[in-house]
Protein backbone atom coordinates (compact mmCIF):
# COMPACT_ATOMS: atom_id res chain seq x y z
CA UNK A 1 0.00 0.00 0.00
CA UNK A 2 1.41 3.38 -1.03
CA UNK A 3 2.09 6.12 1.48
CA UNK A 4 0.09 9.21 0.54
CA UNK A 5 2.53 11.99 1.34
CA UNK A 6 2.26 15.76 1.45
CA UNK A 7 5.40 17.91 1.36
CA UNK A 8 5.53 21.28 3.11
CA UNK A 9 8.61 23.21 2.01
CA UNK A 10 10.28 22.59 -1.35
CA UNK A 11 13.76 24.03 -0.94
CA UNK A 12 17.10 22.42 -1.76
CA UNK A 13 17.01 19.55 0.75
CA UNK A 14 13.35 18.78 0.15
CA UNK A 15 13.74 18.73 -3.63
CA UNK A 16 16.64 16.27 -3.27
CA UNK A 17 14.44 13.93 -1.24
CA UNK A 18 11.53 14.35 -3.65
CA UNK A 19 13.85 13.31 -6.47
CA UNK A 20 14.75 10.13 -4.54
CA UNK A 21 11.27 9.33 -3.23
CA UNK A 22 9.53 9.85 -6.57
CA UNK A 23 11.53 6.87 -7.91
CA UNK A 24 9.96 4.57 -5.30
CA UNK A 25 6.85 2.50 -5.89
CA UNK A 26 5.65 2.67 -2.28
CA UNK A 27 5.22 6.47 -2.08
CA UNK A 28 2.63 8.70 -3.73
CA UNK A 29 3.48 12.38 -3.38
CA UNK A 30 0.00 13.89 -3.43
CA UNK A 31 0.64 17.57 -2.76
CA UNK A 32 3.46 20.05 -2.24
CA UNK A 33 3.69 23.51 -0.71
CA UNK A 34 6.13 26.40 -0.87
CA UNK A 35 5.64 30.19 -0.94
CA UNK A 36 8.02 30.34 -3.91
CA UNK A 37 6.42 29.61 -7.28
CA UNK A 38 9.87 28.82 -8.64
CA UNK A 39 10.40 26.12 -6.01
CA UNK A 40 7.01 24.61 -6.81
CA UNK A 41 7.77 24.50 -10.52
CA UNK A 42 11.13 22.89 -9.78
CA UNK A 43 9.64 19.98 -7.82
CA UNK A 44 6.84 19.60 -10.37
CA UNK A 45 9.51 19.16 -13.04
CA UNK A 46 11.28 16.55 -10.90
CA UNK A 47 8.07 14.58 -10.42
CA UNK A 48 7.19 14.84 -14.09
CA UNK A 49 10.65 13.60 -15.09
CA UNK A 50 9.96 10.44 -13.08
CA UNK A 51 6.58 9.92 -14.72
CA UNK A 52 4.55 11.05 -11.72
CA UNK A 53 1.09 12.49 -12.09
CA UNK A 54 0.41 16.20 -11.59
CA UNK A 55 0.41 17.09 -7.90
CA UNK A 56 -1.67 19.63 -6.01
CA UNK A 57 0.54 22.67 -5.40
CA UNK A 58 0.01 25.30 -2.71
CA UNK A 59 1.79 28.43 -1.54
CA UNK A 60 0.14 28.30 1.90
CA UNK A 61 0.62 25.33 4.22
CA UNK A 62 -2.63 25.87 6.13
CA UNK A 63 -4.57 25.60 2.87
CA UNK A 64 -2.73 22.41 1.95
CA UNK A 65 -3.64 20.79 5.26
CA UNK A 66 -7.22 22.07 5.10
CA UNK A 67 -7.88 20.80 1.57
CA UNK A 68 -5.68 17.69 1.47
CA UNK A 69 -5.32 16.59 5.11
CA UNK A 70 -8.11 14.01 4.90
CA UNK A 71 -6.51 12.38 1.84
CA UNK A 72 -2.99 12.06 3.32
CA UNK A 73 -1.26 9.52 5.51
CA UNK A 74 1.70 11.71 6.42
CA UNK A 75 3.53 14.97 5.79
CA UNK A 76 7.19 15.79 5.39
CA UNK A 77 7.99 19.26 6.77
CA UNK A 78 11.11 21.03 5.51
CA UNK A 79 10.67 24.70 6.40
CA UNK A 80 12.46 27.41 8.44
CA UNK A 81 13.08 26.27 12.01
CA UNK A 82 10.78 28.73 13.75
CA UNK A 83 7.63 27.40 12.03
CA UNK A 84 8.30 23.68 12.58
CA UNK A 85 6.27 23.49 15.78
CA UNK A 86 3.06 25.08 14.45
CA UNK A 87 3.10 23.05 11.25
CA UNK A 88 3.79 19.76 13.02
CA UNK A 89 1.11 20.50 15.63
CA UNK A 90 -1.47 21.14 12.92
CA UNK A 91 -0.55 17.90 11.14
CA UNK A 92 -0.75 15.83 14.32
CA UNK A 93 -4.16 17.34 15.10
CA UNK A 94 -5.32 16.04 11.70
CA UNK A 95 -4.08 12.57 12.73
CA UNK A 96 -1.21 12.57 10.27
CA UNK A 97 2.18 11.00 10.85
CA UNK A 98 4.98 13.55 10.58
CA UNK A 99 8.52 13.41 9.23
CA UNK A 100 9.94 16.70 10.51
CA UNK A 101 13.23 18.28 9.48
CA UNK A 102 15.82 19.14 12.08
CA UNK A 103 16.02 20.85 14.46
CA UNK A 104 12.62 19.72 15.74
CA UNK A 105 11.80 23.01 17.48
CA UNK A 106 13.49 26.20 18.68
CA UNK A 107 12.26 26.14 22.31
CA UNK A 108 11.62 23.66 25.10
CA UNK A 109 7.97 24.84 25.35
CA UNK A 110 7.42 23.98 21.67
CA UNK A 111 8.87 20.52 22.26
CA UNK A 112 6.51 19.92 25.18
CA UNK A 113 3.52 21.07 23.09
CA UNK A 114 4.44 18.60 20.36
CA UNK A 115 4.85 15.89 22.97
CA UNK A 116 1.27 16.45 24.19
CA UNK A 117 -0.15 16.56 20.65
CA UNK A 118 1.64 13.36 19.65
CA UNK A 119 0.38 11.52 22.70
CA UNK A 120 -3.19 12.71 22.04
CA UNK A 121 -3.11 11.70 18.37
CA UNK A 122 -1.29 8.39 18.75
CA UNK A 123 0.58 9.21 15.55
CA UNK A 124 4.33 9.19 15.00
CA UNK A 125 6.62 12.19 14.73
CA UNK A 126 10.08 11.31 13.44
CA UNK A 127 12.76 14.01 13.41
CA UNK A 128 14.71 13.76 10.17
CA UNK A 129 18.25 13.65 11.53
CA UNK A 130 20.14 11.35 9.19
CA UNK A 131 22.45 10.46 12.07
CA UNK A 132 19.52 9.80 14.36
CA UNK A 133 18.11 7.32 11.85
CA UNK A 134 21.41 5.78 10.74
CA UNK A 135 21.91 2.06 11.47
CA UNK A 136 25.63 2.77 11.85
CA UNK A 137 25.01 5.28 14.64
CA UNK A 138 22.54 3.02 16.42
CA UNK A 139 24.95 0.09 16.19
CA UNK A 140 27.68 2.26 17.72
CA UNK A 141 25.27 3.32 20.48
CA UNK A 142 24.65 -0.36 21.23
CA UNK A 143 28.38 -1.11 21.11
CA UNK A 144 28.98 1.64 23.67
CA UNK A 145 26.37 0.14 25.98
CA UNK A 146 27.88 -3.37 25.70
CA UNK A 147 31.47 -2.06 25.92
CA UNK A 148 32.43 -3.79 22.69
CA UNK A 149 35.41 -1.46 22.29
CA UNK A 150 36.16 -1.11 25.99
CA UNK A 151 35.13 1.78 28.23
CA UNK A 152 34.15 5.03 26.49
CA UNK A 153 36.56 7.63 27.89
CA UNK A 154 35.63 10.80 25.95
CA UNK A 155 34.02 12.19 22.80
CA UNK A 156 35.39 14.95 20.58
CA UNK A 157 33.12 16.21 17.80
CA UNK A 158 33.67 18.76 15.05
CA UNK A 159 31.68 20.00 12.06
CA UNK A 160 32.59 22.63 9.49
CA UNK A 161 31.24 24.22 6.31
CA UNK A 162 31.47 27.32 4.11
CA UNK A 163 28.14 28.29 5.69
CA UNK A 164 28.60 31.96 6.58
CA UNK A 165 29.14 33.23 3.04
CA UNK A 166 26.93 30.63 1.34
CA UNK A 167 23.89 31.70 3.37
CA UNK A 168 24.47 35.44 3.58
CA UNK A 169 21.02 37.07 3.43
CA UNK A 170 19.28 33.71 3.76
CA UNK A 171 16.61 33.02 6.41
CA UNK A 172 19.13 30.76 8.12
CA UNK A 173 20.94 33.91 9.25
CA UNK A 174 17.83 35.67 10.58
CA UNK A 175 17.71 34.79 14.31
CA UNK A 176 13.94 35.22 14.65
CA UNK A 177 13.38 32.59 11.95
CA UNK A 178 16.36 30.30 12.38
CA UNK A 179 16.56 30.13 16.15
CA UNK A 180 20.35 30.29 15.96
CA UNK A 181 23.29 30.25 13.60
CA UNK A 182 25.65 27.59 12.28
CA UNK A 183 25.62 25.57 15.50
CA UNK A 184 21.82 25.25 15.40
CA UNK A 185 21.66 24.59 11.66
CA UNK A 186 24.34 22.26 10.29
CA UNK A 187 25.81 21.91 13.77
CA UNK A 188 22.52 20.46 15.04
CA UNK A 189 23.46 17.21 13.28
CA UNK A 190 26.64 17.05 15.35
CA UNK A 191 24.84 17.90 18.60
CA UNK A 192 22.13 15.31 17.99
CA UNK A 193 24.44 12.43 17.03
CA UNK A 194 26.83 13.23 19.88
CA UNK A 195 23.99 13.37 22.40
CA UNK A 196 22.67 10.01 21.16
CA UNK A 197 26.09 8.39 21.62
CA UNK A 198 26.76 9.78 25.09
CA UNK A 199 26.30 7.03 27.62
CA UNK A 200 24.83 9.34 30.30
CA UNK A 201 22.74 12.55 30.39
CA UNK A 202 24.51 15.90 30.11
CA UNK A 203 25.34 17.37 33.52
CA UNK A 204 26.86 20.72 32.52
CA UNK A 205 28.23 22.63 29.55
CA UNK A 206 30.47 25.61 29.01
CA UNK A 207 30.19 27.36 25.64
CA UNK A 208 31.54 30.32 23.73
CA UNK A 209 30.30 31.75 20.43
CA UNK A 210 31.71 34.20 17.88
CA UNK A 211 29.51 35.79 15.22
CA UNK A 212 32.43 37.14 13.15
CA UNK A 213 30.30 40.18 12.21
CA UNK A 214 27.35 38.06 11.05
CA UNK A 215 23.90 38.33 12.71
CA UNK A 216 24.18 34.79 14.11
CA UNK A 217 26.86 32.56 15.59
CA UNK A 218 29.46 31.32 13.10
CA UNK A 219 31.95 29.58 15.41
CA UNK A 220 30.92 27.78 18.60
CA UNK A 221 32.97 25.72 21.01
CA UNK A 222 31.42 23.61 23.78
CA UNK A 223 33.02 21.55 26.52
CA UNK A 224 30.94 19.57 28.93
CA UNK A 225 30.56 16.80 31.43
CA UNK A 226 28.13 13.90 31.58
CA UNK A 227 26.37 12.70 34.72
CA UNK A 228 29.01 9.99 35.17
CA UNK A 229 31.89 12.46 34.86
CA UNK A 230 32.90 11.69 31.28
CA UNK A 231 34.11 14.75 29.38
CA UNK A 232 33.12 15.71 25.83
CA UNK A 233 33.71 18.59 23.43
CA UNK A 234 31.98 19.95 20.32
CA UNK A 235 33.26 22.52 17.84
CA UNK A 236 31.36 24.09 14.94
CA UNK A 237 33.07 26.34 12.37
CA UNK A 238 30.76 27.88 9.79
CA UNK A 239 33.42 29.73 7.81
CA UNK A 240 35.63 27.02 6.38
CA UNK A 241 35.72 24.54 3.49
CA UNK A 242 33.09 22.08 2.21
CA UNK A 243 30.62 20.62 4.68
CA UNK A 244 32.28 17.83 6.66
CA UNK A 245 32.12 16.39 10.17
CA UNK A 246 33.90 13.93 12.42
CA UNK A 247 32.80 12.61 15.79
CA UNK A 248 35.59 10.71 17.54
CA UNK A 249 34.79 8.29 20.34
CA UNK A 250 37.85 7.42 22.41
CA UNK A 251 37.63 3.96 23.99
CA UNK A 252 40.22 2.14 26.06
CA UNK A 253 40.84 -0.34 23.22
CA UNK A 254 39.73 1.50 20.04
CA UNK A 255 39.06 4.88 18.49
CA UNK A 256 35.79 4.98 16.53
CA UNK A 257 34.97 7.83 14.17
CA UNK A 258 31.55 8.52 12.67
CA UNK A 259 30.19 11.44 10.66
CA UNK A 260 27.34 13.51 12.08
CA UNK A 261 24.96 12.16 9.43
CA UNK A 262 25.85 8.52 10.07
CA UNK A 263 26.95 7.99 6.47
CA UNK A 264 30.22 6.30 7.44
CA UNK A 265 32.04 4.86 10.42
CA UNK A 266 35.71 4.02 10.94
CA UNK A 267 36.93 1.63 13.64
CA UNK A 268 40.65 1.85 14.47
CA UNK A 269 42.35 -0.73 16.69
CA UNK A 270 45.58 -0.50 18.69
CA UNK A 271 47.66 -1.55 15.69
CA UNK A 272 46.27 1.21 13.49
CA UNK A 273 44.09 -1.11 11.40
CA UNK A 274 40.97 0.74 10.20
CA UNK A 275 37.67 -0.85 9.20
CA UNK A 276 35.31 1.49 7.32
CA UNK A 277 31.59 1.03 6.66
CA UNK A 278 29.24 3.30 4.69
CA UNK A 279 25.47 3.89 4.65
CA UNK A 280 23.24 5.52 2.01
CA UNK A 281 21.00 8.09 3.70
CA UNK A 282 18.20 9.41 1.45
CA UNK A 283 16.22 6.17 1.15
CA UNK A 284 17.21 5.12 4.67
CA UNK A 285 15.42 8.20 6.04
CA UNK A 286 12.15 7.19 4.39
CA UNK A 287 12.61 3.49 5.13
CA UNK A 288 12.96 4.17 8.85
CA UNK A 289 10.00 6.56 8.81
CA UNK A 290 7.78 3.94 7.15
CA UNK A 291 8.87 1.21 9.56
CA UNK A 292 8.21 3.52 12.50
CA UNK A 293 4.83 4.61 11.12
CA UNK A 294 3.76 1.00 10.63
CA UNK A 295 4.84 0.04 14.14
CA UNK A 296 7.57 -2.34 12.99
CA UNK A 297 10.32 -0.56 14.93
CA UNK A 298 10.50 1.82 17.86
CA UNK A 299 10.90 5.47 16.85
CA UNK A 300 14.69 6.03 16.77
CA UNK A 301 14.46 9.84 16.50
CA UNK A 302 11.46 10.85 18.56
CA UNK A 303 10.10 13.87 20.42
CA UNK A 304 11.94 12.87 23.60
CA UNK A 305 15.24 13.20 21.75
CA UNK A 306 14.02 16.51 20.28
CA UNK A 307 13.24 17.77 23.78
CA UNK A 308 16.69 16.63 24.95
CA UNK A 309 18.23 18.62 22.10
CA UNK A 310 16.17 21.73 22.93
CA UNK A 311 17.41 21.63 26.52
CA UNK A 312 21.01 21.22 25.37
CA UNK A 313 20.73 24.16 22.97
CA UNK A 314 19.22 26.35 25.71
CA UNK A 315 22.13 25.49 28.02
CA UNK A 316 24.70 26.27 25.30
CA UNK A 317 23.13 29.66 24.57
CA UNK A 318 22.90 30.52 28.26
CA UNK A 319 26.53 29.62 28.89
CA UNK A 320 27.67 31.63 25.84
CA UNK A 321 25.70 34.64 27.11
CA UNK A 322 27.67 34.35 30.37
CA UNK A 323 31.08 34.32 28.66
CA UNK A 324 31.40 30.54 28.93
CA UNK A 325 30.37 30.12 32.55
CA UNK A 326 29.34 26.48 33.22
CA UNK A 327 25.58 25.88 33.06
CA UNK A 328 23.73 22.90 34.44
CA UNK A 329 21.68 20.97 31.88
Amino acid sequence: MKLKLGVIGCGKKSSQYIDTWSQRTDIDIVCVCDPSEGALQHVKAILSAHGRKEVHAYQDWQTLLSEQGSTLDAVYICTPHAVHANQALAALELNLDVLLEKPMVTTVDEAKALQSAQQASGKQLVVAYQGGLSPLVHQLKEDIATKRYGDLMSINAAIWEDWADTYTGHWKQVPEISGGGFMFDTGAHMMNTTSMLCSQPFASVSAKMNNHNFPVDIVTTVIGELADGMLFSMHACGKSIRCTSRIECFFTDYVVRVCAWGRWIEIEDRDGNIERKEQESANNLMNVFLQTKDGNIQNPSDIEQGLHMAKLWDAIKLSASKSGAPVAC
Side-chain angles (χ1 to χ4, degrees), residues 51-118:
R52 293 297 183 124
K53 64 182 181 182
E54 185 76 11
V55 297
H56 300 281
Y58 298 87
Q59 291 183 292
D60 177 79
W61 65 270
Q62 290 100 330
T63 305
L64 179 146
L65 290 178
S66 174
E67 294 187 5
Q68 300 294 329
S70 61
T71 70
L72 299 175
D73 299 314
V75 291
Y76 168 60
I77 298 173
C78 186
T79 54
H81 308 156
V83 295
H84 284 184
N86 285 340
Q87 293 169 341
L89 276 171
L92 288 170
E93 289 169 356
L94 289 173
N95 292 314
L96 298 175
D97 291 296
V98 179
L99 179 59
L100 178 60
E101 264 305 327
K102 64 82 202 168
M104 184 180 80
V105 293
T106 59
T107 70
V108 170
D109 286 343
E110 289 175 344
K112 291 180 177 178
L114 280 184
Q115 189 177 49
S116 296
Q118 188 270 327

Side-chain angles (χ1 to χ4, degrees), residues 20 49 51 53 70 79 99 104 114 136 143 152 180 184 194 203 206 209 216 244 255 260 275 279 315 323 327:
T20 299
K53 64 182 181 182
S70 61
T79 54
L99 179 59
M104 184 180 80
L114 280 184
L136 296 179
D143 292 340
L152 178 61
F184 197 53
T194 301
S206 176
M209 294 178 173
V216 292
T244 315
V255 174
E275 178 186 4
Q279 167 72 49
S323 300
V327 170

